Amino acid sequence: MKITGAEALVKSLLHVGVKTIFGYPGGAIMPTYDALFNEPLLRHILVRHEQGAAIAAEGYARLSGTVGVCVATSGPGATNLITGIADAMLDSIPIVCITGQVHSALIGTDAFQEADIMGMTVPVTKWNYQVNNASEIPYIIAKAFHVAKSGRPGPVLIDITKDAQQGVIEFDVLQMAEFVNAAASTAAHIPQVPDLKFENAAHLINNAKKPYIFAGHGITIAGAEEELVRFANKTGIPVACTLHGLSVIAMDHPLYVGMLGMHGNYGSNVLTNEADLIIAIGMRFDDRVTGNLASYAKQAKVIHIDIDIAELNKNVKADVGICGDAKQVLTELYRHVLPNNHDAWIGQFKDYYKLEHDTVIHHQVTNQPGHMIKMAEVIALLSKKTNGEAVIVSDVGQHQMISARYYQFKRPNSHITSGGLGTMGYALPAAIGAKVAAPSREVIAIIGDGGFQMNIQELAVLTQENLTLKIIILNNEYLGMVRQWQELFFDRRYSFTNLVNPDFIKIAEAYSIRGVRVQDESELEEAIDKLLNSTTSFLLEVMVEKQGKVFPMVAAGTGVGDIRLS
């Protein structure tokens, strides 16, 4: 049949399995929006800022396990996507971003709302492509989705000129299927892992006295949570998680020993420098995990498993580097390793945890009469009330680290946050995307008063789409993490970190969202119950101590062995 390029775009999206898109219309993408008008099989969610569209697509992708999709117009619409695109690139999230572009004859003339989105997004996409002819659309869409999802996932941008959207082509469903197959054949080839690699890795594992598993986001991406637990149970090796690795193993599992990184658990970091073998799975030895590389794990042999060969030996030299899918690699490695236990070694983690508990954790979750509520109290109580089974979507800052430390995750794929880019304003749109992807799961956004105001307008989406999202604002009237650094490292020169905030409850009410503000600890439990029992979206604002700090902490430039408890 003969249809326009815009109609071909819509049909191509349906053919590759898209059910939901997040977007914002404008002049250069208007033909596509016209084609969407009569398409009941595609749910379009109207965000209030294009950054919200890209981040919502991330949240959708992370909880659905599929590719998230966002749409924007040319110029400022396209440039507003860039933060979300960069966020998806660093955190390996598969999204396809579709932007309108001015008529191909006008490209390069500084036409109205023209921007070189191709040049701007080269560094932050797996692939980008500009469509100038309607006939290209079906194959390019097929390829875009395959590139976004295959290998190490990531963002793809497709820029489509207005005349390509308006042009007429012959669309053939059978040919579209051929395009999907052709796109699959262009995938980057991941070499098969030689048996010798598994044998060498197993030899190190079977002979190690203090082996240590680092579990990263790649385990969630591969759907390898069961394989990880099975492998750990057989070998008796303790497991620590990166920030993005949280929830790949239940926190009450006897082999779970904490979170790695700048604000991770004390023993998890210190004992990195005592392990004789590190098995890093689906993680990239980010600087927030390693601290100063000059003093990092010099005594340990390293087995590094990652689907991206570029990550092997990039930051930390691997004695055995295995390029492959975590699920497949763990399945094969399981066959080669011997049953074992490392009770004495795990006992060291328990000793360090007791020290951390007595020095930090107990004081963070226990209030004293006359003191303001602490962030950790809120998260610990929330965890208890939800039995650790909610999806926690956190923004960036102190509350992010507190959520990671004190929510006791029980279910896989339950933790969503911005890791690599550290994007403030992330939680609300990401939680919207997550809730759309999994409407039956309890999705709770944990946000600071600073980050909340960066994408506060997306509250409108909750009302318009009739979504039931729970939001907790931990309000300390500061940019808390920056203030903490100013206190510790800048002689308490609090330069522009105090916030004069609006009335968040009234703003929520303006969007027809119920809300409650809590200042006294005696009101906290009842307020959390109201939040969790609400059948509509609900905002809980908790006024927390203004000068609270997150410890433990590995200060910038120091090593993991120098982690501070205070």
Side-chain angles (χ1 to χ4, degrees):
M1 54 184 153
K2 286 190 175 183
I3 57 176
T4 66
E7 291 169 325
L9 171 60
V10 171
K11 289 185 180 299
S12 299
L13 291 174
L14 287 169
H15 192 85
V16 295
V18 176
K19 297 178 181 177
T20 304
I21 58 178
F22 303 87
Y24 200 93
I29 197 68
M30 207 173 294
T32 293
Y33 271 84
D34 187 62
L36 285 169
F37 184 74
N38 288 321
E39 183 45 76
L41 297 178
L42 260 184
R43 181 183 184 185
H44 177 278
I45 293 178
L46 177 66
V47 297
R48 296 304 189 267
H49 189 286
E50 292 88 354
Q51 184 186 108
I55 295 174
E58 285 189 85
Y60 184 91
R62 290 190 63 166
L63 211 53
S64 69
T66 61
V67 178
V69 183
C70 60
V71 181
T73 193
S74 62
T79 59
N80 282 344
L81 294 176
I82 291 178
T83 296
I85 295 171
D87 193 278
M89 187 69 174
L90 281 171
D91 287 349
S92 303
I93 312 301
I95 62 173
V96 169
C97 308
I98 298 168
T99 53
Q101 185 54 275
V102 300
H103 194 288
S104 56
L106 296 175
I107 292 176
T109 68
D110 294 331
F112 176 68
Q113 288 194 334
E114 180 192 0
D116 180 13
I117 195 63
M118 299 297 292
M120 293 179 193
T121 57
V122 165
V124 292
T125 53
K126 281 186 74 177
W127 180 58
N128 67 6
Y129 188 87
Q130 187 174 78
V131 176
N132 295 296
N133 191 302
S135 64
E136 296 180 285
I137 289 174
Y139 174 68
I140 292 302
I141 292 300
K143 183 174 179 179
F145 277 77
H146 192 77
V147 170
K149 185 68 175 171
S150 64
R152 179 178 180 173
V156 170
L157 181 130
I158 304 301
D159 193 42
I160 309 177
T161 63
K162 195 167 186 179
D163 50 309
Q165 297 171 61
Q166 294 169 325
V168 176
I169 67 167
E170 194 81 37
F171 185 85
D172 186 341
V173 174
L174 294 177
Q175 189 179 41
M176 185 67 201
E178 293 175 7
F179 287 154
V180 171
N181 292 333
S185 70
T186 66
H189 177 63
I190 299 173
Q192 187 169 345
V193 182
D195 287 341
L196 185 60
K197 289 264 189 181
F198 291 112
E199 291 168 8
N200 290 342
H203 177 76
L204 292 176
I205 293 167
N206 293 334
N207 289 282
K209 302 302 181 187
K210 294 184 176 182
Y212 195 2
I213 294 172
F214 291 176
H217 186 209
I219 292 170
T220 298
I221 294 171
E225 292 93 345
E226 289 186 10
E227 286 74 15
L228 169 70
V229 173
R230 185 167 170 253
F231 176 81
N233 285 340
K234 182 177 183 179
T235 59
I237 300 175
V239 180
C241 293
T242 65
L243 178 66
H244 273 318
L246 292 175
S247 81
V248 300
I249 183 171
M251 286 189 169
D252 59 0
H253 191 286
L255 292 174
Y256 176 72
V257 293
M259 183 174 77
L260 298 162
M262 179 174 280
H263 292 289
N265 292 102
Y266 191 57
S268 306
N269 282 284
V270 170
L271 292 175
T272 296
N273 285 347
E274 289 192 26
D276 59 4
L277 175 65
I278 290 172
I279 308 163
I281 310 168
M283 57 84 73
R284 56 191 177 89
F285 289 108
D286 169 76
D287 62 291
R288 286 295 174 103
V289 165
T290 66
N292 188 342
L293 282 168
S295 59
Y296 183 74
K298 296 303 179 184
Q299 77 298 330
K301 298 285 186 181
V302 174
I303 299 169
H304 193 179
I305 301 165
D306 202 284
I307 201 164
D308 185 356
I309 197 168
E311 292 299 337
L312 303 180
N313 299 307
K314 185 178 80 173
N315 295 326
V316 173
K317 184 181 181 303
D319 295 274
V320 179
I322 300 177
C323 179
D325 174 84
K327 189 182 188 79
Q328 296 172 1
V329 171
L330 283 171
T331 299
E332 181 62 25
L333 195 55
Y334 179 87
R335 295 176 52 245
H336 289 76
V337 295
L338 300 175
N340 206 341
N341 73 76
H342 298 280
D343 293 342
W345 170 227
I346 291 170
Q348 291 186 243
F349 287 93
K350 292 178 179 178
D351 292 342
Y352 274 109
Y353 180 79
K354 185 179 186 307
L355 174 62
E356 180 183 350
H357 181 273
D358 294 346
T359 308
V360 177
I361 296 173
H362 173 74
H363 301 288
Q364 287 294 308
V365 298
T366 307
N367 207 328
Q368 298 173 353
H371 286 70
M372 293 191 72
I373 300 170
K374 297 176 183 178
M375 290 187 186
E377 288 182 83
V378 181
I379 302 302
L381 183 55
L382 179 69
S383 180
K384 181 180 177 182
K385 293 277 186 181
T386 57
N387 195 34
E389 294 185 345
V391 177
I392 300 299
V393 185
S394 64
D395 215 87
V396 172
Q398 287 182 317
H399 66 278
Q400 176 191 34
M401 295 296 106
I402 292 291
S403 297
R405 284 180 52 80
Y406 290 96
Y407 194 87
Q408 300 299 301
F409 295 97
K410 299 279 184 65
R411 290 184 61 179
N413 198 14
S414 295
H415 183 236
I416 297 175
T417 194
S418 172
L421 198 64
T423 303
M424 288 182 66
Y426 177 90
L428 181 54
I432 288 170
K435 187 64 181 178
V436 171
S440 63
R441 290 198 68 179
E442 182 78 273
V443 178
I444 304 173
I446 311 292
I447 316 178
D449 46 314
F452 186 57
Q453 294 176 80
M454 288 194 171
N455 273 316
I456 195 171
Q457 72 283 344
E458 303 306 332
L459 288 173
V461 178
L462 301 178
T463 303
Q464 186 160 348
E465 293 294 325
N466 195 28
L467 297 175
T468 302
L469 181 68
K470 311 301 171 60
I471 303 167
I472 299 178
I473 300 174
L474 299 179
N475 185 353
N476 59 8
E477 298 181 319
Y478 270 105
L479 297 176
M481 190 62 84
V482 183
R483 188 211 59 76
Q484 176 171 332
W485 280 58
Q486 288 173 337
E487 177 179 341
L488 296 175
F489 308 116
F490 291 88
D491 296 328
R492 302 190 177 188
R493 294 191 296 276
Y494 301 124
S495 180
F496 303 102
T497 45
N498 61 305
L499 298 174
V500 177
N501 292 318
D503 188 326
F504 294 125
I505 302 303
K506 286 184 178 179
I507 289 175
E509 289 172 352
Y511 287 107
S512 302
I513 296 170
R514 292 193 304 137
V516 169
R517 179 183 296 109
V518 171
Q519 300 190 59
D520 192 284
E521 186 187 26
S522 63
E523 304 168 328
L524 181 60
E525 184 168 0
E526 182 182 354
I528 289 179
D529 286 338
K530 282 184 180 179
L531 173 94
L532 296 175
N533 293 331
S534 177
T535 57
T536 59
S537 287
F538 195 96
L539 186 148
L540 170 60
E541 179 185 10
V542 184
M543 305 305 296
V544 297
E545 58 179 352
K546 294 179 183 294
Q547 297 184 342
K549 291 183 284 295
V550 186
F551 285 108
M553 179 180 183
V554 180
T558 65
V560 292
D562 303 315
I563 188 169
R564 297 169 53 171
L565 284 170
S566 62

